[in-house]
Amino acid sequence: MKKILLLSVNYPPMITLGSVRASRFVAKLPDLKWVPFVVAPADVAWGDEDKSRVSQESPGFSGVYRTGEPVNAAAFGPERVSQMLQGMTAAALTGSPLRMISGLLPGVNFLSGWEKQAAAVAEGIISRHDAVDAIYAQGPPAAPLLLALELSAKHGVPVLFDLVAPVDGIALPGGSRHDLARIEERVLTSGHSIMTPTRPLKEHFLKKYFGKVKHDDISIVSDFCLMQPQTKPLSMHKSEAGSEFLVFPEQLQGKEMKLFAEAISGFMQQVGLFRGGVSVRIVGGEYQELLKQIRKHLPDAPVSGSNRLREWEEMEALLRCDVFCHAGSHLDESAKFRLPERLFDAYCQKKTLLVIGPDGPASQLAYEAGGFYAPLSDISSIIGAFQAAAECRKAPDAVGDFRESGRYAADSAIEDLSKLLAYMLPV
């Protein structure tokens, strides 16, 4: 068995872009005769009432090495824990006892904790296990990419960089987009193996670094479904024949939020919400403001909302819904290149997909799966897309016109990954 060191801040319990992808790779690597050692962020201690996360571990799995002690969820509360799991900084609730957490400061941020501890954790793994054969580093953020370059130079180990979005997309506090752009170029021109999850992202890098990066320098390894589609339990069926929409808004603000709220209200009015036509649950984003805007138009609208949830809770909500809707902002430049992971989970569960926002990998997935799309610019188009999705799911267990795309088959993605890993090793 070959040994591979995985460097990723985006790893469960994080719900940031790349976390599901990284955990799926870890689950499948032993099947390819690779033993994974994961340098991951600190975990969260939810309490005795917490349901244990389902691990996709196989016999060859060696372990996840955390860069800090578990964070006590009770000291922060659900909203602030949700912020931390999305990569933001959060402080403990007023009056709650907060002891110093190894690798983290009172204003807890999993990324900063990872940056402080990851190098020492990685060196410890390498020394205890007599070196490793390869390194996998996922970004953004940039920290795992820089650490991979450092470890590669020191130990002579090849690196597989997994870029899930442009590295210079968002500058974190203390950094700048200019600095991140230099790191991105350094990674792409390093001579190490590069992969992306989508073709638009590969094309973006090729255009941006024309003459410096060639077509064969970047491979595409698509996301893939790991779990089989699950049947909705009888306890989750609603007595009425209406449809339940699960909406994940992302970076919607100002005019876009108002337009989206008006479109949802218009859709509910047209389908007859007071006759049990539809219900809408909003998870994440500025959900409170979105609910407020919807209720301006429909005070009694059957809508509810919450912060982002734990992974298993979001998957339960996804399983319960009939239609999964991802709403993204046209102001989000990275939306043209990336595939939202919870949307992909909905695809894997064969849900009816509805995408509102910029045209990109998300809308392409909806088209390929027989779902629906509308730009976030025209209310009538959005209402029409919602109506079409509702019609598609009139029966409680209807699959509608769902179509499975071969490009997201696990066997195909794992074969691509296997070839990349084999190519990295010395002959």
Side-chain angles (χ1 to χ4, degrees):
M1 296 283 281
K2 299 293 184 182
K3 292 170 286 188
I4 185 166
L5 180 69
L6 282 91
L7 307 176
S8 179
V9 180
N10 305 313
Y11 195 83
M14 301 297 285
I15 50 176
T16 46
L17 181 67
S19 62
V20 176
R21 177 176 172 87
S23 62
R24 283 174 176 153
F25 284 149
V26 168
K28 282 294 186 180
L29 279 168
D31 295 342
L32 302 178
K33 309 301 181 185
W34 284 85
V35 181
F37 301 90
V38 186
V39 180
D43 210 338
V44 176
W46 299 100
D48 295 338
E49 77 284 356
D50 181 35
K51 296 180 181 178
S52 46
R53 273 190 300 274
V54 177
S55 65
Q56 304 285 344
E57 300 177 0
S58 58
F61 182 83
S62 290
V64 175
Y65 297 78
R66 298 288 177 179
T67 52
E69 296 179 11
V71 173
N72 181 9
F76 290 86
E79 183 174 354
R80 298 186 186 190
V81 171
S82 177
Q83 291 172 351
M84 288 189 289
L85 296 183
Q86 295 177 75
M88 295 177 270
T89 300
L93 297 169
T94 303
S96 296
L98 177 66
R99 62 187 178 86
M100 293 296 290
I101 300 170
S102 175
L104 299 173
L105 295 175
V108 177
N109 182 287
F110 284 114
L111 172 57
S112 62
W114 193 96
E115 289 178 329
K116 289 179 174 66
Q117 299 289 333
V121 172
E123 290 287 5
I125 293 171
I126 292 172
S127 63
R128 285 196 302 273
H129 296 279
D130 192 25
V132 294
D133 299 288
I135 298 171
Y136 164 98
Q138 189 193 77
L145 309 179
L146 290 173
L147 179 56
L149 288 171
E150 179 184 327
L151 292 173
S152 175
K154 182 176 180 179
H155 298 282
V157 180
V159 181
L160 173 57
F161 288 110
D162 185 16
L163 302 182
V164 296
V167 180
D168 64 349
I170 300 177
L172 298 171
S176 69
R177 292 191 66 172
H178 176 70
D179 293 338
L180 293 175
R182 288 195 299 178
I183 294 171
E184 180 182 271
E185 181 175 1
R186 183 182 169 193
V187 167
L188 283 158
T189 58
S190 64
H192 290 291
S193 299
I194 310 287
M195 68 178 182
T196 67
T198 68
R199 183 168 299 279
L201 183 56
K202 173 178 177 174
E203 293 173 349
H204 165 73
F205 289 137
L206 291 175
K207 291 177 182 177
K208 186 173 181 179
Y209 300 104
F210 181 76
K212 297 180 180 179
V213 178
K214 296 179 293 184
H215 185 273
D216 292 341
D217 293 338
I218 304 176
S219 301
I220 300 173
V221 178
S222 299
D223 290 329
F224 58 92
C225 299
L226 194 59
M227 297 175 60
Q228 293 297 318
Q230 300 179 33
T231 302
K232 186 188 300 184
L234 291 175
S235 61
M236 289 185 178
H237 288 315
K238 302 178 290 299
S239 58
E240 68 273 13
S243 297
E244 181 174 325
F245 283 70
L246 181 62
V247 179
F248 273 58
E250 196 171 85
Q251 299 188 30
L252 297 187
Q253 294 180 343
K255 293 182 179 179
E256 288 185 330
M257 180 180 290
K258 291 180 180 179
L259 188 148
F260 186 58
E262 187 175 349
I264 291 178
S265 304
F267 159 64
M268 287 182 156
Q269 287 178 317
Q270 291 191 19
V271 298
L273 70 99
F274 298 109
R275 294 191 298 273
V278 295
S279 61
V280 174
R281 181 179 181 183
I282 301 166
V283 176
E286 300 291 336
Y287 78 92
Q288 292 174 319
E289 181 62 26
L290 190 51
L291 291 177
K292 179 181 175 182
Q293 294 289 337
I294 292 172
R295 286 172 177 149
K296 279 184 178 180
H297 301 279
L298 282 176
D300 297 320
V303 293
S304 60
S306 69
N307 292 300
R308 290 292 302 271
L309 309 167
R310 288 173 275 185
E311 183 180 0
W312 67 264
E313 291 176 313
E314 291 190 351
M315 290 303 297
E316 278 194 351
L318 192 156
L319 183 60
R320 187 180 296 111
C321 79
D322 298 295
V323 179
F324 183 91
C325 173
H326 176 84
S329 172
H330 286 279
L331 302 177
D332 180 10
E333 296 179 5
S334 69
K336 298 179 291 185
F337 314 121
R338 59 182 177 82
L339 184 59
E341 290 189 320
R342 208 54 82 216
L343 175 70
F344 187 74
D345 286 333
Y347 163 82
C348 292
Q349 292 301 317
K350 296 188 176 182
K351 297 296 180 180
T352 297
L353 304 185
L354 172 59
V355 173
I356 309 296
D359 194 10
S363 60
Q364 185 62 35
L365 179 65
Y367 281 131
E368 292 181 8
F372 306 93
Y373 165 73
L376 189 54
S377 57
D378 179 64
I379 290 179
S380 61
S381 296
I382 299 173
I383 292 175
F386 267 88
Q387 288 176 326
E391 286 293 320
C392 187
R393 296 305 303 222
K394 272 189 173 180
D397 284 320
V399 178
D401 295 322
F402 181 88
R403 297 190 295 270
E404 196 163 2
S405 175
R407 80 162 79 184
Y408 302 114
D411 291 346
S412 176
I414 295 306
E415 182 180 354
D416 292 338
L417 178 62
S418 178
K419 290 177 181 178
L420 262 180
L421 291 171
Y423 177 76
M424 292 168 58
L425 297 176
V427 179

